[in-house]
Amino acid sequence: MYKIAILASGSGSNARKIIEHFANSSVGQVSLVITNRKSAGVLDHAADFSIPTKYFFKDVWSQNPEEILETLREYQIDFIVLAGFLLKLPELLVDHYPNRVVNIHPALLPKYGGKGMYGHHVHEAVKAAGESESGMTIHFVNHHYDEGGIIFQAKVSISPEDSAEAIQKKVLALEHTHYPAVIEETLAKLGE
Ligand code: GAR
């Protein structure tokens, strides 16, 4: 059974779907939730399922990632899932979990990715460009924002009437549908 840590900065709706999914899985279990924001909604979701949580202040991520690695070791974490985690993951952690860190991005990478492209910024850019479709990308995490190998993408049509908020809703629904299952498939392949 692989032990998963979810890292999230925000409301944590994806994290909740993942926690629910792995509550009934024989492949993995969510053993820890880590955030960089004390008020992040994800902490409430973790509490609902009695999953331990840790908070690390911004400076720890940039200046003392050993402390975070130590915590991951303490909880015997095998696999890291970023779900709306908005800081850059320290290289130390990426290097200790080769091909064992995944992220979800609310657009069809390589379009609309990179530093500063997160949450509503992405959907506003998609809207401004007049795209007829958007979607989401699940990918491995490497040392560069949104550049790791793509694992899975799903698309959704958007119409000229759709606001950035409407696009966000459509994309989030896709994320909720696919992210838990894609994580499970990725975990299953680790053992092959
Ligand atoms: C999701 O749409 C996710 O793709 C995005 O943040 C949202 C988090 O929502 N991530 C990024 O933009 C990363 N660059 P949630 O907290 O409700 O799961």
Side-chain angles (χ1 to χ4, degrees), residues 102-104 136-140 149-152 178-179 182:
V102 295
N103 179 44
I104 193 160
M136 58 109 214
T137 304
I138 298 165
H139 64 93
F140 289 110
I150 291 175
I151 302 168
F152 180 84
H178 295 290
Y179 203 14
V182 171

Side-chain angles (χ1 to χ4, degrees), residues 33-80:
V33 166
I34 304 181
T35 188
N36 63 311
R37 272 189 55 226
K38 257 188 180 151
S39 60
V42 70
L43 296 174
D44 299 328
H45 298 308
D48 287 346
F49 290 82
S50 304
I51 293 171
T53 58
K54 292 279 177 186
Y55 158 76
F56 293 102
F57 179 62
K58 192 166 177 263
D59 290 356
V60 179
W61 296 90
S62 57
Q63 288 162 33
N64 191 14
E66 290 82 5
E67 195 179 322
I68 302 163
L69 183 60
E70 193 51 45
T71 299
L72 294 169
R73 285 196 172 127
E74 186 188 325
Y75 284 85
Q76 299 177 313
I77 298 301
D78 304 298
F79 197 82
I80 299 174

Side-chain angles (χ1 to χ4, degrees), residues 10-15 83-86 103-106 117-119 122-123 146 172 175-176:
S11 70
S13 69
N14 276 289
F85 182 69
L86 301 184
N103 179 44
I104 193 160
H105 186 78
M117 271 295 180
Y118 61 88
V122 175
H123 305 297
D146 302 326
L172 195 61
E175 296 185 22
H176 292 168

Side-chain angles (χ1 to χ4, degrees), residues 3 141 174 187:
K3 292 190 174 183
V141 172
L174 274 187
L187 285 175

Side-chain angles (χ1 to χ4, degrees), residues 92-170:
L92 179 81
L93 302 189
V94 178
D95 292 344
H96 272 80
Y97 287 88
N99 284 323
R100 286 176 177 236
V101 187
V102 295
N103 179 44
I104 193 160
H105 186 78
L108 295 168
L109 292 174
K111 288 170 109 175
Y112 307 106
K115 195 169 173 9
M117 271 295 180
Y118 61 88
H120 66 97
H121 298 290
V122 175
H123 305 297
E124 280 158 14
V126 168
K127 168 83 187 156
E131 297 279 4
S132 60
E133 63 178 19
S134 190
M136 58 109 214
T137 304
I138 298 165
H139 64 93
F140 289 110
V141 172
N142 65 12
H143 289 180
H144 307 283
Y145 270 114
D146 302 326
E147 288 184 17
I150 291 175
I151 302 168
F152 180 84
Q153 291 186 302
K155 292 178 181 176
V156 65
S157 299
I158 52 183
S159 71
E161 293 78 41
D162 283 336
S163 62
E165 292 73 29
I167 298 170
Q168 183 165 27
K169 273 191 186 158
K170 285 182 173 180

